[in-house]
Amino acid sequence: MTATAPSQAELAVLKHLWTAGPQSAREVQDGIAAATGWSYSTTRTLLARMTEKGLVKRQDVHGLSVFEARVEKVTLMGRLIRDFAANVLDMDGPLPATTFAGSRLFSEEEAQALTALLEMSDETGKGEGQ
């Protein structure tokens, strides 16, 4: 996994790819344009940077570049939540994940996995997904 957290723009693309699966840049653009207001060239540039950072992978399929999330959703979100809790809220140790149970971002199975990840002690969770 990348050592740096994704930006808000990169997170918007990742959320789309996690939901939609592998897509061309045009499909990504069509999927996020209403929410972001980005031009196609902005989306292409962001996808290229995300590929360099290791957040997405690019494959050529029948002459078309297809992009897929390279980072796992639950692991990344768990890390972001832990970082927020530690660095913003000054919290240490296991985190109660019940707050995230109603999230539309996670399936039931993913919410359970996130709960398990966040409820681990700080020592056992630090290396998770890094």
Side-chain angles (χ1 to χ4, degrees):
M1 174 179 293
T2 181
T4 60
S7 68
Q8 290 298 317
E10 292 166 341
L11 199 50
V13 171
L14 286 171
K15 285 179 181 181
H16 175 74
L17 289 173
W18 286 328
T19 302
Q23 293 197 318
S24 69
R26 177 60 67 191
E27 290 170 320
V28 172
Q29 169 64 22
D30 291 346
I32 64 174
T36 63
W38 299 338
S39 68
Y40 176 68
S41 64
T42 299
T43 301
R44 290 278 310 167
T45 299
L46 186 61
L47 284 166
R49 288 183 182 155
M50 290 176 72
T51 301
E52 290 172 10
K53 288 175 73 174
L55 294 170
V56 299
K57 67 179 175 179
R58 178 183 151 209
Q59 292 181 305
D60 289 329
V61 179
H62 303 291
L64 181 67
S65 293
V66 175
F67 298 89
E68 181 177 2
R70 192 171 189 181
V71 293
E72 202 272 328
K73 177 175 32 175
V74 171
T75 302
L76 177 64
M77 289 300 173
R79 192 184 86 191
L80 293 175
I81 292 165
R82 278 183 176 281
D83 288 350
F84 178 81
N87 298 322
V88 176
L89 302 176
D90 290 328
M91 293 175 65
D92 290 325
L95 299 171
T98 55
T99 306
F100 309 105
S103 173
R104 294 180 310 226
L105 183 61
F106 303 107
S107 67
E108 182 71 30
E109 184 178 282
E110 290 169 334
Q112 289 173 0
L114 180 60
T115 298
L117 182 66
L118 293 177
E119 289 178 347
M120 289 191 303
S121 70
D122 228 19
E123 290 79 41
T124 59
K126 277 192 182 194
E128 195 68 28
Q130 303 268 331

